Amino acid sequence: MADLVTERRGVPVLVCDEDGPPIAGVPDALDLIGATYGRADVVAVPAGRFDERFFVLRTGLAGEIMQKFVNYRVRLVVVGDISAQVSASTALRDLVTESNRGRQVWFVANLGELDDRLG
């Protein structure tokens, strides 16, 4: 399956394929943002597509990627089980909690949870 724009709860969402290219830096994030232009307001990316450095906050990668999505006003949704990373990092747990309180970046377990948040 390729990345696909689909409407979920009336919102156009670019749902990224699990087997797509890894997201290892800002250029990869910008490619995803560019793929949304005129097509989607939200990008749902499987957690497995992110380089492991994304989940190690001291690397700064998560902040850089998330900031690009904020700057371009495209919502980012990380989809999948990141419980191992969260249990290993209090800072990541806090980031996930705070992000999920907002509207710009969400961490969800699956697309059903995304649908619930969009509805």
Side-chain angles (χ1 to χ4, degrees), residues 89-102:
S89 169
T90 301
L92 180 60
R93 183 192 68 220
D94 292 345
L95 174 71
V96 169
T97 300
E98 286 302 314
S99 294
N100 283 345
R101 287 183 182 151

Side-chain angles (χ1 to χ4, degrees), residues 33 36-37 40-43 69-70 72-76 104:
I33 292 166
T36 67
Y37 281 139
D41 301 325
V42 177
V43 178
F69 278 88
V70 169
Y72 286 95
R73 292 185 175 100
V74 175
R75 289 189 275 176
L76 171 64
Q104 190 64 43

Side-chain angles (χ1 to χ4, degrees), residues 8-59:
R8 305 186 76 87
R9 300 284 174 119
V11 178
V13 178
L14 175 63
V15 178
C16 297
D17 185 2
E18 288 184 32
D19 295 325
I23 300 161
V26 170
D28 303 320
L30 290 173
D31 287 345
L32 285 176
I33 292 166
T36 67
Y37 281 139
R39 302 179 344 135
D41 301 325
V42 177
V43 178
V45 183
R49 293 252 320 250
F50 287 95
D51 184 284
E52 272 302 310
R53 293 174 300 131
F54 181 86
F55 301 104
V56 179
L57 297 187
R58 71 178 170 270
T59 68

